[in-house]
Amino acid sequence: MNDYKRGLVAGIPIALGYLSVSFTFGIMAIKYGLTIWEATLISMTNLTSAGQFAGVQIMIIPGLWLDMLISQLTINVRYSFMSVALSQKLDEKFTTLWKWILGFSITDEIFAVAIGEKKITRSFWLGLSTLPFFGWTIGTFLGAFLGNVLPENVLNALGLALYGMFVAIVVPDMKKERPVLVVVIISAILSILFNYVPLLSKVSVGIAISICAIVGAAIVAILYPVEVEEA
């Protein structure tokens, strides 16, 4: 129970950030013709911000099933790498069912918090993912319900909440650990290149994010290898 409470507390800032970001998604979903319950159901069953924003825009054009498949695969493939990393820290009580729950509820922010644990217990993971799930779902419902009530500049401000959450999670570790600082710098430089270099800018967002993460982690793994004690 203590692990659950600790995870619940750790998930509060994530849930608050999700509340505002998913609010924007709810409004956008209504603009593209979805009903309140359709938008809410998408958030309840997906938990992937970038994937949902991209998916809704494709859904309004009938017949683009292949585009939907490719976009969602490239945008969400990063969760596979996160799952592999977290699998090394799961305790022995994580059965197949619990691993499915982990795979469903994993997000960038939840991963960033969980990866700092020496050992991830089922109770901690459940607590960590509870409030973000409800924050994302409730925020979507409220955004879809209120529709276009808020002015556009307010909606744009709400969209920045997700980036502020990343900064709050990553910066403390950057101050403590040089490898974390290096991987952030490398990933940021690569991200800028993918955004502004003409040839690289044609790469989809999902693939670009995956490349930045893999290349940054690989370089830091070579520069700062972790010594493993022999059993």
Side-chain angles (χ1 to χ4, degrees):
M1 183 59 69
N2 288 333
D3 274 353
Y4 178 79
K5 291 181 179 178
R6 191 165 58 86
L8 205 64
V9 172
I12 292 176
I14 300 176
L16 293 176
Y18 281 179
L19 191 67
S20 59
V21 176
S22 61
F23 188 93
T24 305
F25 170 75
I27 291 179
M28 188 191 76
I30 293 299
K31 287 183 178 180
Y32 282 124
L34 296 181
T35 66
I36 295 175
W37 300 112
E38 286 172 341
T40 305
L41 183 61
I42 288 175
S43 284
M44 288 180 65
T45 56
N46 283 270
L47 297 179
T48 165
S49 56
Q52 290 180 213
F53 278 97
V56 168
Q57 296 179 57
I58 297 174
M59 286 170 63
I60 64 173
I61 305 176
L64 295 181
W65 300 109
L66 182 60
D67 293 54
M68 176 71 79
L69 174 63
I70 293 175
S71 67
Q72 293 304 307
L73 179 62
T74 54
I75 290 173
N76 297 322
V77 69
R78 67 188 187 277
Y79 295 125
S80 298
F81 304 126
M82 295 179 191
S83 297
V84 171
L86 289 176
S87 67
Q88 310 303 310
K89 297 195 170 196
L90 303 180
D91 70 7
E92 62 280 357
K93 294 183 180 180
F94 259 88
T95 59
T96 300
L97 176 61
W98 276 93
K99 290 177 181 178
W100 287 347
I101 294 174
L102 182 146
F104 166 75
S105 56
I106 188 172
T107 66
D108 302 280
E109 295 76 24
I110 291 177
F111 168 80
V113 174
I115 199 66
E117 294 286 306
K118 291 183 178 180
K119 202 71 173 178
I120 301 174
T121 64
R122 295 182 302 177
S123 296
F124 177 79
W125 183 266
L126 186 61
L128 179 61
S129 57
T130 296
L131 293 181
F133 173 80
F134 285 107
W136 187 256
T137 303
I138 293 173
T140 299
F141 173 80
L142 292 176
F145 181 75
L146 294 177
N148 296 321
V149 173
L150 296 179
E152 185 176 354
N153 58 342
V154 175
L155 298 180
N156 292 334
L158 290 173
L160 295 175
L162 190 62
Y163 301 102
M165 219 173 5
F166 275 122
V167 173
I169 291 173
V170 174
V171 168
D173 286 333
M174 288 173 57
K175 293 179 178 179
K176 298 177 184 178
E177 302 287 343
R178 181 178 292 273
V180 177
L181 175 62
V182 174
V183 76
V184 169
I185 292 174
I186 293 174
S187 299
I189 292 174
L190 290 174
S191 180
I192 292 172
L193 292 176
F194 275 109
N195 192 53
Y196 292 105
V197 175
L199 183 61
L200 295 178
S201 62
K202 296 180 180 179
V203 178
S204 67
V205 175
I207 292 179
I209 292 174
S210 299
I211 292 176
C212 292
I214 294 172
V215 172
I219 293 176
V220 170
I222 295 173
L223 296 177
Y224 302 94
V226 177
E227 297 182 2
V228 179
E229 296 181 1
E230 296 182 1

